[in-house]
Amino acid sequence: MLLKRLKHALGIEDPEPADDREAAAIELYGRVQAFVDTLHPVESAPVGNYAMGWMTDPGTSLAESGCLQLWDQIYHAADGVETWLVARMLRAAGGIGNEIDRMSYPQELVIFPLQGPDRQMLVMSLSQEKGIRFHFDSEGCDPAYRDQFLEEYLDFVRAVRAGADLFEAELDGPREPRALTWWQQVMDELTSLEDDRDAVQAVGTIVIGNRKGFGLRRREG
């Protein structure tokens, strides 16, 4: 049953018996579902500044921070399996039905307010250029919570990729714009500013205004 659920989650048709993959499928399904079960869609996000990452250690540049190193691993792991990730995240956010297993990015930036583990607020955004991103309240969110969330998301992404490999599924083809390309440009820019560690304080900023939780949107860094 779990083997069938994992294949359904990945949109994979596999008519041949695969009993030898049952144990691996059970483990991967558990990792995928464990992360998804922590996300809860809500109507709106409180007013504030939300970011993918921000300066927390004055002795470390933003590019060298543990947070951005996690994002770097996420972007590399997601490359090639993003259609599965988009569908799974949109399903978790209540944006699409459970019958959709793979989906391209929306043409325009879309954002979804969510509650994560311990019912803490965060914002998920999706776009063709920048991929799937999670933004945390840069004033109210404990950086330790943010980094723990990203570690769990990274494990989710790796489990999805491992599932695709397990069933030898066809990965996403080349596309432009490519989210990994955008991320590499961000990291290159941050690295070039390493001598001025105060030049960029936050990356991937979304400003939530007063209009039902959906306000101005901008990126820093």
Side-chain angles (χ1 to χ4, degrees), residues 31 34-35 38 70 74 117 145-158:
R31 288 164 60 189
F35 177 75
T38 67
L70 283 169
I74 288 167
Y145 175 92
R146 175 201 64 198
D147 294 352
Q148 180 62 37
F149 180 94
L150 293 178
E151 288 179 4
E152 293 172 6
Y153 179 56
L154 174 60
D155 185 69
F156 163 80
V157 172
R158 286 174 170 168

Short mmCIF file of all heavy atoms in Angstrom, two decimals, residues 31 34-35 38 70 74 117 145-158:
data_model
loop_
_atom_site.label_atom_id
_atom_site.label_comp_id
_atom_site.label_asym_id
_atom_site.label_seq_id
_atom_site.Cartn_x
_atom_site.Cartn_y
_atom_site.Cartn_z
N ARG A 31 9.28 9.86 5.18
CA ARG A 31 9.99 11.14 5.20
C ARG A 31 9.21 12.22 4.48
O ARG A 31 9.14 13.37 4.94
CB ARG A 31 11.38 10.97 4.59
CG ARG A 31 12.34 10.19 5.46
CD ARG A 31 13.55 9.70 4.67
NE ARG A 31 14.31 10.81 4.09
CZ ARG A 31 15.30 10.63 3.21
NH1 ARG A 31 15.62 9.40 2.82
NH2 ARG A 31 15.96 11.66 2.73
N ALA A 34 6.09 13.07 6.64
CA ALA A 34 6.43 13.72 7.91
C ALA A 34 6.56 15.22 7.74
O ALA A 34 6.12 16.00 8.60
CB ALA A 34 7.72 13.13 8.46
N PHE A 35 7.16 15.65 6.63
CA PHE A 35 7.29 17.09 6.41
C PHE A 35 5.96 17.71 6.02
O PHE A 35 5.56 18.75 6.57
CB PHE A 35 8.32 17.38 5.33
CG PHE A 35 8.45 18.85 5.02
CD1 PHE A 35 9.09 19.71 5.89
CD2 PHE A 35 7.88 19.38 3.86
CE1 PHE A 35 9.18 21.07 5.62
CE2 PHE A 35 7.97 20.74 3.58
CZ PHE A 35 8.62 21.59 4.46
N THR A 38 3.46 18.78 8.66
CA THR A 38 3.74 19.92 9.53
C THR A 38 3.20 21.23 8.97
O THR A 38 3.26 22.26 9.65
CB THR A 38 5.26 20.09 9.75
OG1 THR A 38 5.90 20.46 8.52
CG2 THR A 38 5.88 18.80 10.27
N LEU A 70 22.17 25.82 3.88
CA LEU A 70 21.03 24.90 3.75
C LEU A 70 20.26 25.18 2.47
O LEU A 70 19.89 24.26 1.73
CB LEU A 70 20.11 25.03 4.96
CG LEU A 70 20.57 24.34 6.25
CD1 LEU A 70 19.72 24.78 7.43
CD2 LEU A 70 20.51 22.82 6.09
N ILE A 74 19.42 22.79 -0.74
CA ILE A 74 18.03 22.60 -1.19
C ILE A 74 17.91 22.84 -2.68
O ILE A 74 17.31 22.04 -3.41
CB ILE A 74 17.09 23.53 -0.39
CG1 ILE A 74 16.95 23.02 1.05
CG2 ILE A 74 15.72 23.63 -1.07
CD1 ILE A 74 16.30 24.02 1.99
N PRO A 117 5.65 23.83 11.73
CA PRO A 117 5.71 23.14 13.02
C PRO A 117 5.46 24.11 14.18
O PRO A 117 5.87 25.27 14.13
CB PRO A 117 7.13 22.58 13.05
CG PRO A 117 7.50 22.44 11.61
CD PRO A 117 6.83 23.58 10.90
N TYR A 145 14.70 28.00 14.80
CA TYR A 145 13.48 27.41 14.22
C TYR A 145 13.56 27.42 12.71
O TYR A 145 13.26 26.41 12.05
CB TYR A 145 12.26 28.20 14.68
CG TYR A 145 10.96 27.74 14.05
CD1 TYR A 145 10.17 26.77 14.67
CD2 TYR A 145 10.52 28.25 12.82
CE1 TYR A 145 8.98 26.33 14.09
CE2 TYR A 145 9.34 27.82 12.24
CZ TYR A 145 8.58 26.86 12.88
OH TYR A 145 7.41 26.42 12.30
N ARG A 146 13.97 28.54 12.14
CA ARG A 146 14.10 28.66 10.68
C ARG A 146 15.04 27.59 10.13
O ARG A 146 14.71 26.88 9.16
CB ARG A 146 14.64 30.05 10.35
CG ARG A 146 14.96 30.32 8.89
CD ARG A 146 15.93 31.49 8.77
NE ARG A 146 17.22 31.20 9.39
CZ ARG A 146 18.12 32.12 9.74
NH1 ARG A 146 17.87 33.40 9.53
NH2 ARG A 146 19.27 31.76 10.27
N ASP A 147 16.20 27.44 10.76
CA ASP A 147 17.19 26.49 10.25
C ASP A 147 16.71 25.05 10.42
O ASP A 147 16.96 24.20 9.55
CB ASP A 147 18.53 26.70 10.95
CG ASP A 147 19.16 28.04 10.61
OD1 ASP A 147 18.63 28.74 9.72
OD2 ASP A 147 20.17 28.40 11.24
N GLN A 148 16.01 24.75 11.52
CA GLN A 148 15.46 23.41 11.70
C GLN A 148 14.41 23.10 10.65
O GLN A 148 14.37 21.99 10.10
CB GLN A 148 14.85 23.26 13.10
CG GLN A 148 14.25 21.90 13.39
CD GLN A 148 15.26 20.78 13.34
OE1 GLN A 148 16.40 20.96 13.77
NE2 GLN A 148 14.86 19.61 12.84
N PHE A 149 13.58 24.08 10.34
CA PHE A 149 12.58 23.90 9.28
C PHE A 149 13.26 23.60 7.95
O PHE A 149 12.84 22.70 7.21
CB PHE A 149 11.71 25.16 9.16
CG PHE A 149 10.65 25.07 8.09
CD1 PHE A 149 9.36 24.66 8.41
CD2 PHE A 149 10.94 25.39 6.77
CE1 PHE A 149 8.38 24.57 7.42
CE2 PHE A 149 9.97 25.30 5.78
CZ PHE A 149 8.69 24.89 6.11
N LEU A 150 14.30 24.35 7.63
CA LEU A 150 15.01 24.15 6.36
C LEU A 150 15.69 22.78 6.31
O LEU A 150 15.74 22.14 5.25
CB LEU A 150 16.02 25.27 6.14
CG LEU A 150 15.42 26.66 5.91
CD1 LEU A 150 16.53 27.69 5.75
CD2 LEU A 150 14.50 26.68 4.69
N GLU A 151 16.21 22.31 7.44
CA GLU A 151 16.78 20.97 7.48
C GLU A 151 15.72 19.92 7.17
O GLU A 151 15.97 18.95 6.43
CB GLU A 151 17.41 20.71 8.85
CG GLU A 151 18.70 21.47 9.09
CD GLU A 151 19.28 21.21 10.47
OE1 GLU A 151 18.70 20.37 11.20
OE2 GLU A 151 20.30 21.84 10.82
N GLU A 152 14.52 20.10 7.71
CA GLU A 152 13.43 19.16 7.46
C GLU A 152 12.95 19.25 6.02
O GLU A 152 12.62 18.22 5.40
CB GLU A 152 12.29 19.42 8.44
CG GLU A 152 12.67 19.10 9.88
CD GLU A 152 11.62 19.53 10.89
OE1 GLU A 152 10.53 19.98 10.47
OE2 GLU A 152 11.87 19.41 12.11
N TYR A 153 12.93 20.46 5.46
CA TYR A 153 12.54 20.60 4.06
C TYR A 153 13.59 19.97 3.15
O TYR A 153 13.25 19.30 2.16
CB TYR A 153 12.35 22.07 3.71
CG TYR A 153 11.97 22.31 2.26
CD1 TYR A 153 10.85 21.70 1.71
CD2 TYR A 153 12.73 23.13 1.44
CE1 TYR A 153 10.50 21.90 0.37
CE2 TYR A 153 12.39 23.35 0.11
CZ TYR A 153 11.28 22.73 -0.41
OH TYR A 153 10.94 22.93 -1.73
N LEU A 154 14.85 20.14 3.47
CA LEU A 154 15.92 19.51 2.70
C LEU A 154 15.76 18.00 2.70
O LEU A 154 15.92 17.34 1.66
CB LEU A 154 17.29 19.91 3.25
CG LEU A 154 18.51 19.22 2.64
CD1 LEU A 154 18.61 19.50 1.14
CD2 LEU A 154 19.79 19.69 3.35
N ASP A 155 15.44 17.42 3.84
CA ASP A 155 15.24 15.97 3.91
C ASP A 155 14.05 15.56 3.05
O ASP A 155 14.09 14.52 2.37
CB ASP A 155 15.01 15.54 5.36
CG ASP A 155 14.92 14.03 5.48
OD1 ASP A 155 15.94 13.35 5.28
OD2 ASP A 155 13.81 13.52 5.77
N PHE A 156 13.00 16.36 3.05
CA PHE A 156 11.82 16.11 2.20
C PHE A 156 12.22 16.11 0.72
O PHE A 156 11.87 15.20 -0.04
CB PHE A 156 10.76 17.18 2.47
CG PHE A 156 9.70 17.29 1.43
CD1 PHE A 156 8.64 16.40 1.39
CD2 PHE A 156 9.76 18.30 0.48
CE1 PHE A 156 7.65 16.51 0.41
CE2 PHE A 156 8.77 18.41 -0.49
CZ PHE A 156 7.72 17.51 -0.53
N VAL A 157 12.98 17.13 0.30
CA VAL A 157 13.39 17.23 -1.10
C VAL A 157 14.26 16.03 -1.48
O VAL A 157 14.08 15.42 -2.56
CB VAL A 157 14.16 18.55 -1.35
CG1 VAL A 157 14.75 18.57 -2.76
CG2 VAL A 157 13.24 19.74 -1.13
N ARG A 158 15.17 15.65 -0.61
CA ARG A 158 16.03 14.51 -0.90
C ARG A 158 15.23 13.22 -0.97
O ARG A 158 15.55 12.31 -1.77
CB ARG A 158 17.12 14.41 0.17
CG ARG A 158 18.21 15.47 0.02
CD ARG A 158 19.19 15.44 1.17
NE ARG A 158 20.35 16.29 0.89
CZ ARG A 158 21.26 16.63 1.80
NH1 ARG A 158 21.12 16.20 3.06
NH2 ARG A 158 22.28 17.38 1.48
#
